[in-house]
Amino acid sequence: MSLDEILTAFKSGDIDLDNARTQIRGSFFQDLGHSTLDNDRVLRTGAAEVIYGEHKTPNQIVELVQAMARADQNALVTRTTHPVFELVREQFADAEYHELARAITLRQHEPDEVDSMIA
């Protein structure tokens, strides 16, 4: 649920205060045990979360991409390998591997245009 959906559900009485609090906290960060995803990063900074793949196991990378997909976020995995990509592609047929960059992308929607430049 988005923050607006959580607040609307609370206002209408569909969820209680404790449930709303839990969902709001969970919408910002997601602790996967081995890594913490910043689900709110794109809204706060305009730049999406990036998965730094080096030193992560293939299964950890797959789990991170799955979590980002559940949060309806595009995924970018850096410093990874083609074998890891093959595991990601088993779950997400639309994933792409960029050999020269050693990166995996999963684009679920077009990213928003930003006014700033990244140097």
Side-chain angles (χ1 to χ4, degrees), residues 1-11 24 27:
M1 285 176 115
S2 72
L3 181 58
D4 287 344
E5 291 170 332
I6 295 167
L7 294 173
T8 300
F10 174 70
K11 184 178 179 181
I24 288 170
S27 69

Side-chain angles (χ1 to χ4, degrees), residues 50-54 76-82 85 96-105:
V50 175
I51 300 167
Y52 182 75
E54 198 163 44
L76 170 60
V77 183
T78 64
R79 296 193 179 203
T80 190
T81 64
H82 198 271
F85 163 68
E96 296 179 39
Y97 185 66
H98 309 275
E99 187 81 33
L100 188 59
R102 292 177 40 219
I104 299 168
T105 56

